[in-house]
Amino acid sequence: MRGSGKLAAGVLAGVLLASGTAAATGDPVRAAVGDLVAKGGFPGAVVQVRNGEAVSRFGAGYANPVTHEPAGPHHRFRIASNTKAFVATVVLQLAGEGALSLDDPIERRLPGAVRGPGYEPEKITLRMLLNHTSGLHDPLDPHFFDPYLVQGNRAHIITPSEVIRRSLVDPPSFAPGTDVKYSNTGYLLLGKVIEKVTRNDVREEIQRRILDPLGLGRTYFPLWSPFLRGPHLHGYDMSAQDMTVFSPSYDWTAGAMVSTVDELATFHRALLAGRLLEPAQQAELKRLVPYSELGAYGAGVETLNLPCAGGTKTVWGNTGAGPGFYSVSMSTADGAKQIVLALNVYDLAAESRGGKRVPKPPMPAVMAALC
């Protein structure tokens, strides 16, 4: 189980400034995005940029290069690990309501769910699952995605329970709380905790607690259907193979949601501004665990350290990567500037073998918006 989080951040931050993308004149964000879809780049890009209360939104290139449908802000895309911020918000709200504690061990909330060589479920807390310090890794089987990528069955279903089981076949990455490593599996367990505590479908909890109050009518959480609803970007791998049709079943609460740039921006703005959580839980959201000099993990969100001209600037939000889609949703610490950028290439097979996953680094566009 791959295609999100730390690897997505690596795509963003791994190449700081590969070229002088921002033009000397005009809108530097538009210039940088234009370069992303220029020759040898992404088929399409969709962006929302905010500076104070001034908001611009635009598309570049194609949502579908076969039909030449232009990419636009109305197009949906798979948001991948941006999903984790929605899930963490529900967990933190439940903590604020007293329905659970972040210090609860997973063994208390899901008895018997974590069993495998070397695992200590009584020492793995919900907080560790939220900030990736649990030691739970994702399935290490190199053939995990073979049903989709080798056998070509894009509608294949791998249940979250099966992902968890296959993750626990191998020993943990480290003892609970002693290190940090990105874990999609941890967020699958958090989804199960939400359902156990609320006795309700996690998708309904996200709908009731977040999507409805914020008016996010074009954001949804597919369970297993491989198809995207309504107008959407088509996603591709590095060989231009269309990856749009792909069951999100394995990703569930780690990365299955679908949204638009406007609605993802609305959610992150509300979350980071403290409109969705009580002060104590907002502090937990932003309690950071550094994973490298590039950034740190909070509870369902992450920070990235941008090398801006005036010095390093820390920005907040999420990155997301999955078959065919790569996205960045980031804001400055004071909330004054924000960008949500959706791109329609991400190569899952290349990721598994350490190859090139996107045609160009998106960092110049992010820096043009936030520095």
Side-chain angles (χ1 to χ4, degrees), residues 222-242:
L223 187 60
W224 54 265
S225 172
F227 302 104
L228 288 172
R229 303 177 193 164
H232 57 269
L233 298 178
H234 280 242
Y236 300 88
D237 66 12
M238 288 292 292
S239 68
Q241 182 180 9
D242 195 323

Side-chain angles (χ1 to χ4, degrees), residues 328-351:
V328 183
S329 181
M330 287 285 167
S331 304
T332 54
D334 61 4
K337 295 182 178 182
Q338 183 179 24
I339 182 172
V340 180
L341 170 65
L343 301 160
N344 57 353
V345 172
Y346 191 83
D347 198 312
L348 195 63
E351 177 190 306

Side-chain angles (χ1 to χ4, degrees), residues 185-262:
T185 305
Y187 271 78
L188 299 182
L189 287 165
L190 288 170
K192 289 184 173 293
V193 168
I194 291 170
E195 293 195 333
K196 182 79 174 291
V197 169
T198 65
R199 299 181 181 179
N200 195 17
D201 189 311
V202 66
R203 296 170 299 162
E204 293 181 16
E205 290 296 318
I206 289 174
Q207 188 75 41
R208 179 176 67 85
R209 293 169 176 271
I210 303 172
L211 304 188
D212 288 346
L214 294 179
L216 306 185
R218 304 195 68 239
T219 301
Y220 71 99
F221 191 149
L223 187 60
W224 54 265
S225 172
F227 302 104
L228 288 172
R229 303 177 193 164
H232 57 269
L233 298 178
H234 280 242
Y236 300 88
D237 66 12
M238 288 292 292
S239 68
Q241 182 180 9
D242 195 323
M243 305 294 287
T244 311
V245 175
F246 206 106
S247 174
S249 59
Y250 68 93
D251 234 358
W252 196 46
T253 45
M257 290 180 69
V258 176
S259 190
T260 65
V261 289
D262 280 356

Side-chain angles (χ1 to χ4, degrees), residues 307-323:
C308 299
T312 300
K313 179 178 286 188
T314 298
V315 297
W316 290 76
N318 291 91
T319 54

Side-chain angles (χ1 to χ4, degrees), residues 285-298:
L285 177 83
K286 295 186 173 183
R287 180 194 283 191
L288 294 177
V289 180
Y291 62 77
S292 76
E293 71 281 358
L294 298 177
Y297 296 130

Side-chain angles (χ1 to χ4, degrees), residues 266-279:
T266 296
F267 164 67
H268 270 122
R269 188 177 188 185
L271 177 62
L272 295 172
R275 289 170 45 204
L276 297 177
L277 299 172
E278 296 297 327

Side-chain angles (χ1 to χ4, degrees), residues 176-188:
T178 63
D179 203 345
V180 57
K181 186 175 182 181
Y182 200 86
S183 173
N184 292 292
T185 305
Y187 271 78
L188 299 182

